[in-house]
Amino acid sequence: MAVTSTYRRAGPVQRFWSVIKDICSRPSGAIGLALVFSHVALALIGPFIVPYDYTTMNAAQMLSQPSAAHWLGTDHLGRDTLTRTLLGGREAILVTGIATPLAVLWGGLVGVFFGLVGGRVDDVLMRIVDAFLSLPWILKMLVLIVTFGTGIEVLIPTLAFFYGIPVIRIARAATHDVVARDFVQAARARGHGRFTIIWQELLPNVRDALLVEGAMRWSWMLLAFSSLSFLGFGVSPPTPDWGLMIADARGFMSFSPWGVIAPMIGLSSLIIGINLSADALAKALGIDRAQKAPV
Amino acid sequence: MTTPPKSNGPIIAVDGLSVGFRSRAGAWLPVLRDITLSVGAGESIGLVGESGSGKSTLALAMMGYLKTGLHVLGGRVDFSGIDMFAQDRQSLEKVRGGRLALIPQNSGQSLAPNLRVGAQIGEALRLHSALPEARHAARVLDLLTQVRLPDPASIARRYPHELSGGQQQRVAIAMALAGEPEALLLDEPTTGLDVTTQAHILELLRDLARETGMAMVYVSHDLGAIARVCDRVAVMYAGEVVLEGTAAQILRDPSHPYARGLLASIPKLSDVCLPRALDGRPPPPGGAGDGCAFVARCAIATERCMVERPDLSRIADGAKTRCHLPQQVRSIPLSGERNAQQRQLPAELSLSLGDLAISYARAGLFERLTGRDTAKVATVDGIDIELRQGETLGLVGESGSGKSTILKSIAGLLPPLHGQIALRGQDDLPPRVEDRSAKHLRDVQLIFQNPDESLNPRQTIAQILAQPLKLYFGLSGQALIARTTALLAQVRLGAHYLERLPSQLSGGEKQRVAVARAFAAQPELVLCDEITSALDVSVQAAVLELLDDLRRDNGTSYIFVSHDLAVVKALSDRVAVLYQGRLCEIGPTVDVYGPTAHPYTEVLLGAVLEPDPDFVPSLSASDVVEQSPPARGCPFQRRCPKRLGAICDQTAPPPKTFAAGHTIWCHRDDLAAPQLS
Amino acid sequence: MLSMLMRRSALGLITVWLVSIIIFIGVEILPGDACTAFLEREAQGLLLENCRRDLGLDRPAWMRYGEWAANALSGNLGVSPDGQRQISELVGYRLRNTLLLASGAILCGIPLALFLGIVAALWRDRPFDIIVSTTAIAAMTIPEFVSATLLILIFSVWLGWVPGIVLTSSNAPLAEFFPEVLLPIAVLTLVMTAHILRTVRSSVIETLASDYAQMALLKGVPYWQMVFRHVLPNALLPTINVVALTIAWLLGGVVVIETVFNYPGLGRMMIDSISDRDLPVTQAIALIIASVYVGVNLLADLLTMVANPRLRTAHLRGK
């Protein structure tokens, strides 16, 4: 055993922490990660720290200005805006947090598979993917939501399905890049099975591209989710949600601007946080090509 | 000095120049250290060194240009009295491309893809020529003629991507000549070109220098090219000039340990031995320490060399060397000693290829729909080769000769159109790798040209080596670790490499890992696809030595593909010469490199350059790049300097046997001795 | 080149055909049909059956698809069940209004994106670049309804410069859409500019680092001449496709913007038609949007091919 102990493997855990460290070493990455982290933390502990119950209405306190009791005022039903803003991301983070990995997983697997198979099947698949992409996302989503309802049991698979389609493209392109490289040819020439080649040679190299893509998908999915809420096809009242809050408070923004400003800050800070983290992640994984040593 | 400068004072004077970049930690790391060098008017000086020695950086610095991130840390560069790093943009623009022109490393990527070649040369004329605008078009054609491009009017109208590599290089030269420069900087101008093209370009440069009287600074890792065009040579190592003198002083009997090691590591046609490896690697920028930068690799280093950096000082023969021990240096040998061919070979067959034909062309959907004729001439055809156990067969030819294609087909990655591939004489290999048995797979191993591509960047060396061991021998646990360690030791790498990623290894180390991975299978036959061409010469010599060791120990057969005739000669028992996917000649190495040769072999051998200032290549054929073989007759008919006539165009040449096992496919009966000097 | 051109066009047509199938299937799986929507509560029994027979809804799906596709090809998008009006007429005005929005955004957005992207790339990592790049990330990732609401809050509610809501009817003359249309155009421009300028910036940076840009400097080409003659023509080629994708993608985003501003465009009509289960209209709009997407991308491919000597002279390669 003395031999084995001299070279400990640089395992995935170590690699994970080194990537996190790299992200945090860039100011934008640190800010982004902090924003994402605090939003997720807030979603977990929010219900225990908010000052009011989010459903409590108060007819005497409708659309009130910020005060000591209600720091950000109240909405048109007299509910506390701060409370609802703090809780407004929970549903969005829950739905997109589950749907994003699902989308990357199924899109990634299908993309890698067809990238490997190639040929006629691949051509046909890409035409279908193109056809899906040529329809606006909102149309596709709405058709399913109108049919099956707006619960999270519909939203999660719907989002995962439609947002997995562009992932197919990315995964397929990344696979094509890797397959053309000699180490895959070397593995073929050695006689490894297709599964081993995918698992050992391909996925570790496609994985990074998919991680970055996943981060970007998360941000687009949040955009879609909150847009649906805004249009009235997402979260149903009285559950607090940023998109819904903005839609409700829009009519009153001339005399109660905090009603829209607060949820806008909530939503924007999360989305910008995700994007800053995604950029820093791409740089940390060496996908960003602008980073180059002078010599 | 052989050609003393005619004018008063040097045209380019580099004085104590240091250039460096700032590391992530904030320290300044030098890329060039205290360089002092001068180039006289009309003089041509060669800057030699391996990758990372700073030679290109120095050449660009002579134009007052540094790549992003690099800064001048001290010293200056003067071009005919102008301090190049003290000029404003306007005056630099006037000098660059005018009185001082550059021919870049990769012309294909240095020509703007959106502009026609004529327009790009015309731009140089507009910026730097005194000619009236109306005469520019004619001048462009003159320049293209001057660089010996056929049909200049048609070339001028083309875009860069429509030209071959050699043509692009000539266009770059024409562009540099447009400003009628007093000095020309050439940054590896022939790297990546075929041997014949390289020889033609070098002759052109020699003649141009003589006609125009311009000075040249020629940057290259190739001492053969340097020997052909340069009067003086400066050898660079780790950002320093370590040796400077006339070409004869440097190339015949250099007085610096590094230059001697470098010279000994170059395979030469005139040698019968393997080149001598120069072990170790240069220190990274900032890693040279207080002593001599070369101390770690030096055979004669002393205590003093570790602590005191030697100065560049003049020695008895007139050269300047950066060494504390210029007297002892001459004890370092200049050539190898190991004769690769002295081996006893068994008579059993290892591999036989029977009438192999391979085609890359596949009909696309559109061609099939329109029913267009896709029955093209096969890329590779009529390959009959037999290889004995433990034998090394060299496969040579220019790019496009089909050498790598044949290897891919043997490995099962590219099924042939027809023909047999048999192991040990009778064991037919299925054409597709997926259909081969475990034993077949284990017996044939392929090593690729570029280890950056052939080693998975996400796997550690241990994982990379474990794959064949698990697949072929089912090893695991302690046995696996013991075997991987042993394999690394076989390629002279320590066990501490096991947990590294390929990106943490040097190019030579990576290629050793690739070799170790191939030998992990204990193969019968190893296919080597240009495996040393991405490496520096000193590293190449080490890999060649390693291959020789391994075949002695394991009795392995090799097919060794290379475009470098000297490398092939050093290692091979037999050599096959290919042109356009057809065999021209095959036979024992001494015979193929001997006086009786196929015209194409003769052309190839004539274009090889030796690191000897008196060596004159003989160029007997044009360097036209052909895209596909002719439909009928001899594959070499269009370029052959000894073409007989219609028979060459109509009839495929018959094989003629000369000495034992030496076959040449040619119609001529008077195959004479090639002009080897 | 001709063969490539034909290939691309054929692929485009195949995509539109596949889209039509997807749309048809998508609408098939929606519960209810034109008759249930038209008859509403009375949609049961004989009345429903008669209606279905009248409209031919009792025939198998492939027959109805064939008829719908054939009609769509000849420009006949069907009749809306409620008003007995031609859908093409209803959709026509909405399409015009959306095109007004889109062309306004394209006319402002593309020049602005090119300018900002190029300037940010040339002065990379300087304060201007950092401000532009950061704003661009924010603008392209924050939902359109957030930026729209923000602009309404600032320019309409607080400053009172332009109306924050469009009350013009869908078939009014274009002139009547001013100045209400300005804010929606601004939002659309913001998002589009952000997308395009990011691509322009990275493409210019990459080209500036190319060997031929360096070579141009080293042959004495003045800096600005190098930028305009050697860098920009090559850097902007790949952005043509991104511009097309962005334009096409915006057709989805425009739905939200039209809703925020109550703008009588195609997008809002689409949402209404889905909510009302007005299936022929949904199908028609989906087909129009998909065709525009495919068409714009095809156009971009053709433009790239014409502008890129490498593709234009593909047939000469190797000669």
Side-chain angles (χ1 to χ4, degrees):
Chain A
M1 289 321 283
V3 189
T4 40
S5 61
T6 50
Y7 33 85
R8 193 175 294 121
R9 292 200 42 188
V13 180
Q14 266 161 294
R15 188 167 142 74
F16 173 79
W17 283 115
S18 79
V19 167
I20 295 284
K21 231 191 214 165
D22 196 322
I23 293 177
C24 293
S25 73
R26 298 160 214 276
S28 65
I31 295 172
L33 217 53
L35 281 173
V36 175
F37 184 76
S38 35
H39 269 288
V40 173
L42 191 63
L44 293 174
I45 60 162
F48 308 107
I49 60 160
V50 290
Y52 294 91
D53 177 9
Y54 65 86
T55 53
T56 308
M57 297 185 223
N58 187 343
Q61 284 278 340
M62 286 197 310
L63 295 171
S64 69
Q65 295 299 312
S67 64
H70 299 281
W71 291 359
L72 295 178
T74 55
D75 68 4
H76 61 292
L77 297 175
R79 299 176 295 195
D80 182 45
T81 303
L82 178 64
T83 300
R84 294 182 59 81
T85 304
L86 289 178
L87 297 176
R90 299 188 78 210
E91 191 92 352
I93 291 175
L94 175 72
V95 168
T96 56
I98 298 174
T100 306
L102 285 179
V104 174
L105 200 68
W106 93 261
L109 284 179
V110 171
V112 168
F113 181 73
F114 282 95
L116 269 182
V117 171
R120 199 78 53 84
V121 197
D122 183 44
D123 287 345
V124 172
L125 179 89
M126 284 325 285
R127 290 279 75 73
I128 296 177
V129 166
D130 268 354
F132 264 106
L133 290 179
S134 70
L135 289 166
W137 60 268
I138 203 150
L139 173 82
K140 298 176 280 196
M141 300 283 307
L142 281 185
V143 167
L144 286 191
I145 287 167
V146 164
T147 314
F148 299 110
T150 59
I152 63 166
E153 72 282 355
V154 176
L155 281 173
I156 290 175
T158 309
L159 282 167
F161 176 69
F162 286 119
Y163 279 80
I165 291 175
V167 179
I168 295 180
R169 264 198 161 179
I170 305 285
R172 182 176 163 277
T175 307
H176 278 192
D177 287 351
V178 178
V179 166
R181 296 184 64 179
D182 282 343
F183 62 83
V184 174
Q185 295 302 310
R188 266 190 69 205
R190 271 200 308 277
H192 285 293
R194 190 159 271 188
F195 180 75
T196 319
I197 294 181
I198 295 181
W199 194 252
Q200 291 192 347
E201 311 288 341
L202 221 62
L203 281 186
N205 288 286
V206 176
R207 186 188 58 204
D208 289 355
L210 285 182
L211 268 179
V212 174
E213 183 61 18
M216 303 299 290
R217 285 297 132 205
W218 190 16
S219 135
W220 297 129
M221 235 186 239
L222 270 170
L223 186 149
F225 180 87
S226 54
S227 298
L228 286 174
S229 285
F230 176 81
L231 295 173
F233 293 97
V235 177
S236 28
T239 313
D241 179 87
W242 294 323
L244 199 58
M245 287 169 72
I246 295 172
D248 287 344
R250 247 162 42 84
F252 316 103
M253 65 184 167
S254 48
F255 38 92
S256 175
W258 278 110
V260 289
I261 293 176
M264 284 197 320
I265 291 175
L267 181 55
S268 309
S269 60
L270 176 56
I271 286 184
I272 290 174
I274 292 175
N275 279 286
L276 291 178
S277 312
D279 271 10
L281 178 68
K283 281 181 186 142
L285 295 175
I287 292 175
D288 186 279
R289 299 206 289 154
Q291 288 270 109
K292 243 185 191 171
V295 181
Chain B
M1 283 178 210
T2 48
T3 48
K6 289 166 255 0
S7 71
N8 43 3
I11 185 156
I12 300 174
V14 183
D15 187 15
L17 182 71
S18 292
V19 166
F21 64 95
R22 200 188 271 278
S23 72
R24 262 193 140 180
W28 282 103
L29 303 179
V31 174
L32 293 179
R33 297 202 292 164
D34 191 19
I35 305 268
T36 300
L37 194 69
S38 63
V39 185
E43 187 185 32
S44 67
I45 182 166
L47 295 181
V48 193
E50 295 179 281
S51 44
S53 62
K55 53 190 191 303
S56 291
T57 307
L58 176 57
L60 291 179
M62 290 176 179
M63 300 200 96
Y65 181 89
L66 295 175
K67 291 214 158 107
T68 329
L70 291 178
H71 299 269
V72 174
L73 303 180
R76 54 187 282 163
V77 175
D78 292 283
F79 172 73
S80 66
I82 314 166
D83 182 349
M84 290 300 274
F85 284 106
Q87 299 303 306
D88 56 11
R89 209 143 78 179
Q90 276 82 10
S91 32
L92 273 182
E93 280 159 8
K94 223 169 284 163
V95 176
R96 287 173 179 172
R99 298 173 59 199
L100 179 59
L102 172 79
I103 293 171
Q105 180 158 19
N106 188 339
S107 307
Q109 281 163 27
S110 297
L111 296 169
N114 61 318
L115 297 173
R116 289 174 201 274
V117 160
Q120 300 198 43
I121 300 175
E123 184 176 44
L125 286 173
R126 208 180 64 240
L127 293 167
H128 300 295
S129 165
L131 280 178
E133 189 96 28
R135 297 192 29 211
H136 282 183
R139 178 76 180 127
V140 168
L141 297 188
D142 283 352
L143 285 165
L144 288 172
T145 314
Q146 202 181 355
V147 294
R148 297 173 199 163
L149 277 167
D151 196 3
S154 132
I155 297 273
R157 278 195 306 272
R158 296 202 200 169
Y159 287 97
H161 72 270
E162 298 172 278
L163 304 177
S164 71
Q167 289 173 322
Q168 288 169 343
Q169 198 60 56
R170 284 164 200 261
V171 167
I173 296 173
M175 201 157 80
L177 294 179
E180 290 167 27
E182 292 160 44
L184 197 56
L185 306 177
L186 304 105
D187 188 2
E188 302 256 14
T190 60
T191 305
L193 299 178
D194 275 322
V195 271
T196 49
T197 311
Q198 159 170 317
H200 277 279
I201 299 266
L202 289 177
E203 291 316 294
L204 172 67
L205 289 171
R206 257 177 81 93
D207 295 349
L208 286 173
R210 203 176 307 133
E211 287 161 21
T212 60
M214 61 187 170
M216 293 207 289
V217 176
Y218 191 100
V219 173
S220 182
H221 66 279
D222 183 349
L223 282 172
I226 296 270
R228 193 65 195 130
V229 289
C230 298
D231 314 320
R232 271 202 311 143
V233 179
V235 181
M236 295 192 62
Y237 185 79
E240 293 177 323
V241 172
V242 291
L243 180 65
E244 191 201 328
T246 64
Q249 286 164 349
I250 306 293
L251 298 168
R252 293 249 168 74
D253 193 12
S255 41
H256 189 278
Y258 172 64
R260 294 184 82 86
L262 190 64
L263 208 52
S265 70
I266 299 172
K268 300 165 205 73
L269 276 187
S270 48
D271 274 359
V272 282
C273 298
L274 274 180
R276 179 183 292 272
L278 178 59
D279 287 326
R281 60 202 268 195
D290 299 329
C292 171
F294 188 64
V295 67
R297 302 169 77 183
C298 185
I300 56 166
T302 62
E303 209 49 36
R304 187 180 170 211
C305 303
M306 313 268 277
V307 290
E308 189 189 330
R309 183 167 168 239
D311 292 324
L312 191 63
S313 46
R314 199 171 290 278
I315 51 162
D317 69 353
K320 285 194 257 179
T321 182
R322 200 182 276 281
C323 184
H324 289 307
L325 307 157
Q327 283 79 39
Q328 285 93 311
V329 154
R330 298 234 162 10
S331 67
I332 300 172
L334 277 176
S335 62
E337 55 199 348
R338 192 195 297 193
N339 192 329
Q341 269 102 43
Q342 287 169 347
R343 285 177 301 127
Q344 289 295 314
L345 296 177
E348 288 87 7
L349 278 181
S350 170
L351 176 86
S352 33
L353 303 178
D355 193 24
L356 198 66
I358 312 162
S359 176
Y360 260 120
R362 264 188 301 170
L365 178 68
F366 193 76
E367 276 91 5
R368 266 177 281 145
L369 281 178
T370 51
R372 210 177 279 175
D373 185 22
T374 51
K376 288 177 188 146
V377 189
T379 317
V380 170
D381 203 1
I383 303 297
D384 274 299
I385 291 176
E386 285 189 339
L387 183 67
R388 282 180 299 160
Q389 278 182 14
E391 189 178 38
T392 300
L393 174 75
L395 227 51
V396 291
E398 290 166 298
S399 52
S401 61
K403 358 182 244 305
S404 300
T405 311
I406 295 174
L407 289 197
K408 285 218 171 75
S409 221
I410 299 173
L413 294 175
L414 187 69
L417 285 178
H418 59 77
Q420 286 87 44
I421 306 167
L423 273 183
R424 287 174 290 270
Q426 74 286 355
D427 201 357
D428 268 3
L429 284 176
R432 279 162 41 85
V433 69
E434 284 81 6
D435 303 330
R436 294 187 180 176
S437 70
K439 176 86 176 70
H440 288 149
L441 292 167
R442 196 171 71 83
D443 276 341
V444 180
Q445 293 291 314
L446 176 61
I447 308 177
F448 290 83
Q449 173 173 5
N450 188 348
D452 287 323
E453 285 290 310
S454 68
L455 302 181
N456 191 332
R458 293 268 176 254
Q459 291 177 345
T460 61
I461 305 307
Q463 288 171 318
I464 288 169
L465 291 179
Q467 284 182 336
L469 295 175
K470 284 186 198 162
L471 179 71
Y472 299 131
F473 305 104
L475 291 186
S476 62
Q478 277 302 317
L480 181 65
I481 293 168
R483 185 79 187 101
T484 42
T485 316
L487 276 170
L488 272 187
Q490 249 187 328
V491 296
R492 298 182 212 138
L493 293 175
H496 57 284
Y497 282 93
L498 279 177
E499 288 312 315
R500 295 198 190 169
L501 291 170
S503 55
Q504 295 163 311
L505 270 58
S506 74
E509 289 167 341
K510 278 181 257 193
Q511 199 59 293
R512 279 163 196 242
V513 171
V515 171
R517 178 171 66 180
F519 276 90
Q522 299 175 2
E524 160 95 30
L525 168 68
V526 173
L527 310 169
C528 306
D529 188 2
E530 298 264 13
I531 68 169
T532 61
S533 58
L535 306 175
D536 274 320
V537 271
S538 68
V539 181
Q540 163 175 286
V543 171
L544 293 178
E545 262 183 22
L546 177 66
L547 288 175
D548 187 41
D549 284 346
L550 288 168
R551 70 179 171 187
R552 278 168 203 272
D553 296 347
N554 303 305
T556 319
S557 322
Y558 293 134
I559 297 186
F560 188 86
V561 160
S562 179
H563 66 279
D564 187 330
L565 279 87
V567 174
V568 167
K569 178 167 187 268
L571 198 70
S572 308
D573 304 302
R574 282 197 306 145
V575 176
V577 183
L578 286 166
Y579 187 75
Q580 292 288 339
R582 275 87 181 143
L583 279 172
C584 295
E585 178 170 3
I586 187 169
T589 306
V590 277
D591 294 325
V592 172
Y593 285 75
T596 312
H598 188 279
Y600 178 56
T601 316
E602 212 175 308
V603 167
L604 281 181
L605 285 172
V608 173
L609 298 167
E610 293 274 61
D612 176 348
D614 295 333
F615 180 85
V616 182
S618 69
L619 303 177
S620 47
S622 73
D623 61 334
V624 179
V625 175
E626 296 189 69
Q627 294 298 326
S628 58
R632 271 197 311 272
C634 172
F636 194 51
Q637 56 180 267
R638 290 175 290 208
R639 281 174 67 192
C640 185
K642 293 186 167 177
R643 191 170 161 275
L644 283 169
I647 186 171
C648 297
D649 305 344
Q650 297 301 326
T651 321
K656 287 179 192 159
T657 303
F658 289 78
H662 183 205
T663 308
I664 297 176
W665 283 261
C666 185
H667 288 294
R668 285 192 85 100
D669 296 317
D670 56 339
L671 293 168
Q675 302 295 309
L676 269 175
S677 57
Chain C
M1 177 174 163
L2 191 71
S3 81
M4 255 169 98
L5 215 140
M6 280 166 59
R7 217 181 111 82
R8 289 287 162 86
S9 309
L11 287 182
L13 284 178
I14 292 174
T15 309
V16 173
W17 170 66
L18 281 171
V19 167
S20 73
I21 293 179
I22 293 174
I23 292 169
F24 192 79
I25 294 173
V27 168
E28 279 291 295
I29 62 164
L30 272 179
D33 55 31
C35 282
T36 52
F38 171 53
L39 296 169
E40 295 182 5
R41 260 160 234 259
E42 293 131 59
Q44 48 193 314
L46 204 61
L47 212 51
L48 186 62
E49 266 174 44
N50 283 337
C51 169
R52 285 192 170 149
R53 194 171 328 110
D54 290 348
L55 292 176
L57 295 181
D58 51 347
R59 291 172 302 163
W62 63 267
M63 270 175 85
R64 283 180 286 126
Y65 170 76
E67 189 192 41
W68 172 66
N71 282 336
L73 270 183
S74 60
N76 175 11
L77 295 168
V79 177
S80 184
D82 58 327
Q84 303 293 320
R85 279 205 287 166
Q86 284 291 319
I87 292 175
S88 46
E89 187 191 324
L90 280 173
V91 170
Y93 280 112
R94 297 297 191 121
L95 181 62
R96 180 202 66 174
N97 298 344
T98 294
L99 285 181
L100 171 70
L101 207 56
S103 46
I106 290 168
L107 285 180
C108 307
I110 293 180
L112 189 65
L114 287 179
F115 176 76
L116 291 177
I118 292 169
V119 172
L122 293 180
W123 280 276
R124 191 185 168 192
D125 294 334
R126 307 273 181 81
F128 179 82
D129 174 35
I130 293 169
I131 293 169
V132 167
S133 302
T134 319
T135 317
I137 291 193
M140 71 188 251
T141 54
I142 292 175
E144 293 91 348
F145 72 89
V146 173
S147 25
T149 309
L150 189 67
L151 290 190
I152 295 175
L153 188 65
I154 295 172
F155 293 103
S156 183
V157 175
W158 288 345
L159 297 172
W161 289 356
V162 271
I165 198 156
V166 184
L167 296 170
T168 322
S169 71
S170 71
N171 51 4
L174 284 181
E176 284 184 26
F177 283 94
F178 289 92
E180 288 94 328
V181 76
L182 291 180
L183 266 189
I185 287 181
V187 178
L188 209 51
T189 307
L190 187 72
V191 184
M192 195 167 90
T193 307
H195 273 277
I196 298 175
L197 95 81
R198 276 204 18 132
T199 320
V200 170
R201 176 181 175 272
S202 61
S203 181
V204 171
I205 286 177
E206 206 173 292
T207 315
L208 276 172
S210 71
D211 285 352
Y212 54 84
Q214 179 189 316
M215 186 58 206
L217 281 184
L218 290 178
K219 86 179 201 199
V221 176
Y223 182 76
W224 286 108
Q225 208 170 319
M226 186 263 303
V227 169
F228 281 104
R229 215 170 125 84
H230 295 249
V231 172
L232 290 187
N234 295 301
L236 297 184
L237 263 185
T239 61
I240 296 178
N241 270 302
V242 177
V243 171
L245 268 180
T246 311
I247 290 173
W249 183 81
L250 281 182
L251 288 172
V254 87
V255 174
V256 181
I257 293 175
E258 287 180 1
T259 313
V260 175
F261 290 98
N262 193 40
Y263 186 84
L266 208 56
R268 237 187 71 223
M269 191 184 198
M270 182 177 84
I271 295 204
D272 293 344
S273 74
I274 295 176
S275 309
D276 303 344
R277 293 186 171 67
D278 194 347
L279 306 182
V281 174
T282 312
Q283 284 179 329
I285 295 175
L287 197 60
I288 290 174
I289 292 181
S291 310
V292 170
Y293 177 97
V294 172
V296 169
N297 277 307
L298 189 63
L299 194 69
D301 281 350
L302 298 186
L303 265 179
T304 312
M305 231 182 277
V306 172
N308 187 348
R310 221 175 263 265
L311 296 174
R312 192 169 55 208
T313 56
H315 62 288
L316 287 172
R317 198 171 299 169
K319 296 265 166 73

